[in-house]
Amino acid sequence: MDEVVFGRPAAQAVVEQMDRLNASRAFLMVSGTLDRETDEIETIRRALGGRCAGTFAAMPPHTPRAAG
């Protein structure tokens, strides 16, 4: 893991990190449960707007790097 951001909403943190890295697009790799049972991923997608390239919503819980 390269970095952990805490203390701010995830959508805000993702946008800030993209701005810091000068990234134009993000592909979200998230757990299906988080995507289906909360509004957090949709909130991130809305915050990213056209910068969201897509979503893969089948990551296992507590994902090791090898799963990505």
Side-chain angles (χ1 to χ4, degrees):
M1 184 172 304
D2 296 332
E3 186 171 348
V4 175
V5 176
F6 59 94
R8 290 188 306 288
Q12 177 185 349
V14 169
V15 170
E16 288 172 356
Q17 289 297 311
M18 287 189 64
D19 291 344
R20 183 179 69 80
L21 296 167
N22 198 29
S24 59
R25 303 292 299 268
F27 185 79
L28 305 177
M29 298 173 68
V30 303
S31 81
T33 302
L34 190 63
D35 192 34
R36 286 187 311 274
E37 297 184 13
T38 75
D39 65 349
E40 195 63 38
I41 304 307
E42 183 57 32
T43 300
I44 294 169
R45 281 192 285 258
R46 280 195 309 269
L48 290 172
R51 295 172 80 179
C52 183
T55 305
F56 175 76
M59 294 299 289
H62 311 290
T63 302
R65 254 181 205 245

